[in-house]
Amino acid sequence: MAEPIRVVVTGAAGQIAYSLLYMIARGEVFGKDQPLILHLLDIPPMVDVLEGVIMELTDCALPLLRNVVPTTDPAVAFKEVAAAFLVGAMPRREGMERKDLLSANVKIFKIQGQALDKYANKDVKVLVVGNPANTNAAVCAYYAPTIPRENFTAMTRLDQNRAQAQIATKVGVPVADVKNVIIWGNHSSTQFPDANHAVVMIGNTERSAIEAVGDAEYLKTSFIEVVQKRGATVIAARKMSSAMSAAKAACDHMHDWWFGTPAGKFVSMGVMSDGSYDTPKDVVYSFPVEIKNKQWKIVQGLPINDFAKSKMALTSKELLEEKNEAMAVCSTD
């Protein structure tokens, strides 16, 4: 077997991590032949809960899991890690706006960026899950100047999975038969779920999602609204934020980053914008990407209609506002 790799999960005593840690440790992310050492970071009040999580991981008797390192110290948590799932953040609760989270959470990601810069492997793959994820990823990258900016990503795979599932349900096909749904922009209610380039397999024939759904108005209204508001809808029903589905999406994101995407298939990731599709540079913006040799590349040349451009501009505006506010908070900290 290969040498173990070190993987850190922050907020490790929390709800998302409770599902995520098991998925990682049983080989669903880095492969069934890759041993792991898990670093679990949380805040001091959660140490007792963290001990319970470690007991459960031990009791799962997972062959790939070689060691578990619980800690409240970022210096220990990020030491020599190859991959980082930055889940820990102040959670969003019912009635809260995302901007309510920003001030508290960007300070967390400033500290974690500095710790990654000092202690992690320089080729570490960083996935930010804690909200506001896109802006937290931008802050983290800013405070880790010796790690390439392309190594910092934000999770919009949950939104992609939601959108893919909505189309599959509408058409009446298995979710695996829908591909290339795009999430543009921010992981927020301004995101633009875009079915214009999606493909649905019906029988043995690939059809455009627009043709398969057969309802253009739905794809411009209800479909977008359901995906944009799904997180808030889950909170209203559960009285807690999405956990199981977020953990699954985090695994999907990192697995594809690690192993690549099949030819002809792209996935949505929040990555540092280079200005593609007239987006603002230097914000973490969700694009369709293809991945090869652990390197993502923005899919270029997709036709964008006026409706899509207007939606993409709206989420761009929000990301710029968030980034400016976040950097102002960090500079006064």
Side-chain angles (χ1 to χ4, degrees):
M1 267 196 172
E3 285 295 306
I5 59 169
R6 294 178 182 271
V7 178
V8 62
V9 176
T10 73
Q15 273 213 96
I16 293 173
Y18 193 71
S19 293
L20 176 62
L21 289 167
Y22 175 70
M23 295 181 195
I24 295 171
R26 73 187 300 265
E28 292 183 20
V29 180
F30 302 103
K32 299 294 185 180
D33 59 353
Q34 178 59 66
L36 301 163
I37 298 170
L38 284 177
H39 292 203
L40 310 186
L41 177 67
D42 218 310
I43 56 177
M46 300 303 290
V47 165
D48 289 345
V49 178
L50 199 56
E51 285 300 321
V53 172
I54 295 165
M55 289 180 210
E56 288 215 68
L57 283 169
T58 301
D59 295 347
C60 285
L62 296 156
L64 294 172
L65 187 57
R66 297 299 171 82
N67 194 18
V68 180
V69 181
T71 185
T72 60
D73 183 356
V76 175
F78 293 108
K79 186 172 178 59
E80 297 176 354
V81 294
F85 293 82
L86 304 189
V87 181
M90 181 185 290
R92 178 182 170 194
R93 295 187 174 88
E94 192 170 5
M96 286 180 71
E97 291 297 323
R98 293 176 80 261
K99 288 184 179 180
D100 298 337
L101 300 177
L102 192 143
S103 180
N105 283 339
V106 294
K107 294 176 184 178
I108 295 170
F109 287 87
K110 174 182 177 179
I111 292 166
Q112 292 183 354
Q114 291 167 332
L116 280 160
D117 197 58
K118 192 169 183 180
Y119 302 110
N121 294 349
K122 293 308 175 188
D123 61 352
V124 62
K125 302 289 183 278
V126 181
L127 167 58
V128 176
V129 177
N131 282 318
N134 295 56
T135 297
N136 288 340
V139 168
C140 209
Y142 181 83
Y143 285 100
T146 68
I147 297 172
R149 294 199 311 168
E150 58 266 25
N151 289 24
F152 292 85
T153 63
M155 190 173 83
T156 55
R157 185 60 171 266
L158 176 54
D159 307 300
Q160 179 196 307
N161 287 350
R162 288 166 169 166
Q164 191 175 334
Q166 290 298 314
I167 290 174
T169 301
K170 186 76 171 176
V171 178
V173 298
V175 72
D177 290 346
V178 180
K179 68 177 184 180
N180 295 355
V181 184
I182 299 169
I183 304 298
W184 299 99
N186 203 1
H187 173 61
S188 77
S189 58
T190 69
Q191 66 176 261
F192 173 43
D194 181 5
N196 288 320
H197 310 285
V199 175
V200 180
M201 181 69 73
I202 299 177
N204 294 318
T205 306
E206 278 195 347
R207 296 186 181 178
S208 73
I210 294 171
E211 180 188 358
V213 170
D215 186 346
E217 189 60 25
Y218 161 80
L219 291 174
K220 291 174 70 172
T221 54
S222 300
F223 164 70
I224 293 173
E225 290 163 13
V226 166
V227 178
Q228 287 177 335
K229 297 176 181 178
R230 189 68 161 189
T233 305
V234 170
I235 290 171
R238 292 187 75 228
K239 311 307 175 191
M240 291 181 286
S241 60
S242 307
M244 178 170 50
S245 56
K248 164 63 164 54
C251 289
D252 291 344
H253 177 119
M254 190 66 81
H255 176 276
D256 287 350
W257 198 358
W258 209 257
F259 290 104
T261 52
K265 181 178 179 180
F266 43 80
V267 294
S268 296
M269 290 171 59
V271 300
M272 197 65 73
S273 172
D274 61 357
S276 293
Y277 296 100
D278 294 324
T279 57
K281 290 184 179 181
D282 301 326
V283 299
V284 173
Y285 193 99
S286 181
F287 292 97
V289 301
E290 296 172 321
I291 307 167
K292 188 175 181 180
N293 299 324
K294 294 187 173 70
Q295 302 294 320
W296 55 263
K297 184 179 179 183
I298 297 170
V299 176
Q300 299 291 345
L302 297 174
I304 307 295
N305 61 33
D306 288 343
F307 175 80
K309 287 177 182 176
S310 68
K311 294 290 186 184
M312 291 165 69
L314 191 67
T315 196
S316 293
K317 181 174 181 288
E318 181 183 60
L319 278 169
L320 282 170
E321 290 171 354
E322 277 190 8
K323 184 185 177 185
N324 290 337
E325 186 177 341
M327 297 315 292
V329 169
C330 288
S331 66
T332 58
D333 186 30

